[in-house]
Amino acid sequence: QSVLTQPPSVSGAPGQRVTISCTGSSSNIGANYDVHWYQQLPGTAPKLLIYANNNRPSGVPDRFSGSKSGTSASLAITGLQAEDEADYYCQSYDSSLSGYVFGTGTKVTVL
Amino acid sequence: EVQVVESGGGLVQPGRSLRLSCTGSGFTFGDHTMSWFRQAPGKGLEWVGFLRSKAYGGTTAYAASVKGRFTISRDDSESIAYLQMNSLKTEDTAVYYCSRDRVVAISNSGMDVWGQGTTVTVSS
């Protein structure tokens, strides 16, 4: 019962740009809580990709960028590479639930 | 190296209890909010609960699906966080991950350190 909605899948050819949306509500993203993005490669633990809406941890390529507006957020991957094939999740805080919430997850496929 | 390592998973019968541990190293464990997450087979990530640092009040919060059955505690002197799971149900079967909030004494700052996960299987 994820509170944040993401498209189940997106795909693109190597070198292309893809975006993943994350739609929330007035009790989470719309309440100005920060949004974070995680990448999960098959069989591994999630990895923090973007924090506080649009910041990249050290070591994350600048091909990854985040944005937030209103009750939604987005993750963009430019110059898509084969190693970007993974599941991606957005995450925020929800004041109604008094806890963290995740997106439904998006599988990125590199054609 | 900054890391957390989960342990304690296994096979348990419905209705029984299990305690997971999360041992941190390479950072001041007591300064961070520590969270537990889980991922059922083939499913997405689910937040289980968190325990804020003492500097942030040491308060806890839990997902509705586990509230009243699961309890998070911590021993900062040993750099360990625990997840006590009681009255387990088959739907609690998942890989359980421990992680820390990135910023000292702040919640929802992004989880930047994750363990490898420990598998809990609830089955008769």
Side-chain angles (χ1 to χ4, degrees):
Chain A
Q1 57 276 16
S2 297
V3 172
L4 307 179
T5 302
Q6 301 177 230
S9 63
V10 298
S11 62
Q16 284 191 329
R17 178 180 187 269
V18 297
T19 62
I20 300 170
S21 60
C22 173
T23 303
S25 67
S26 59
S27 61
N28 42 69
I29 299 175
N32 207 32
Y33 290 110
D34 284 339
V35 177
H36 318 290
W37 290 89
Y38 301 87
Q39 177 192 60
Q40 187 176 33
L41 298 170
T44 69
K47 169 190 170 184
L48 183 63
L49 201 62
I50 296 288
Y51 67 88
N53 309 314
N54 55 16
N55 297 278
R56 281 175 288 105
S58 174
V60 173
D62 59 7
R63 303 185 292 104
F64 295 92
S65 62
S67 63
K68 175 186 147 183
S69 179
T71 58
S72 296
S74 290
L75 173 72
I77 310 174
T78 57
L80 196 62
Q81 298 183 6
E83 59 259 36
D84 298 333
E85 274 208 349
D87 293 323
Y88 293 81
Y89 296 89
C90 59
Q91 177 260 312
S92 186
Y93 179 86
D94 190 284
S95 58
S96 296
L97 300 174
S98 298
Y100 296 156
V101 289
F102 276 101
T104 47
T106 299
K107 182 175 182 59
V108 169
T109 300
V110 181
L111 302 172
Chain B
E1 181 187 4
V2 175
Q3 64 177 356
V4 295
V5 178
E6 304 94 339
S7 60
L11 173 64
V12 60
Q13 293 179 327
R16 304 299 292 265
S17 298
L18 197 65
R19 188 179 78 164
L20 307 183
S21 299
C22 167
T23 304
S25 59
F27 64 100
T28 305
F29 189 86
D31 284 350
H32 293 262
T33 293
M34 298 302 296
S35 298
W36 286 93
F37 300 88
R38 67 184 181 182
Q39 188 168 34
K43 302 297 185 182
L45 295 170
E46 179 186 15
W47 170 72
V48 172
F50 62 59
L51 173 53
R52 293 185 171 101
S53 65
K54 288 185 172 58
Y56 205 86
T59 53
T60 54
Y62 300 95
S65 58
V66 306
K67 197 168 185 178
R69 299 188 299 124
F70 290 12
T71 303
I72 300 173
S73 60
R74 62 194 299 162
D75 180 346
D76 292 337
S77 67
E78 296 290 337
S79 299
I80 301 177
Y82 298 102
L83 178 64
Q84 177 67 44
M85 304 184 293
N86 299 331
S87 303
L88 281 161
K89 306 176 181 180
T90 55
E91 52 262 42
D92 295 320
T93 294
V95 176
Y96 284 73
Y97 295 102
C98 165
S99 70
R100 75 164 196 182
D101 253 280
R102 185 180 54 86
V103 178
V104 167
I106 295 293
S107 294
N108 196 40
S109 61
M111 267 65 69
D112 66 338
V113 180
W114 293 73
Q116 81 290 348
T118 187
T119 300
V120 173
T121 302
V122 184
S123 174
S124 54

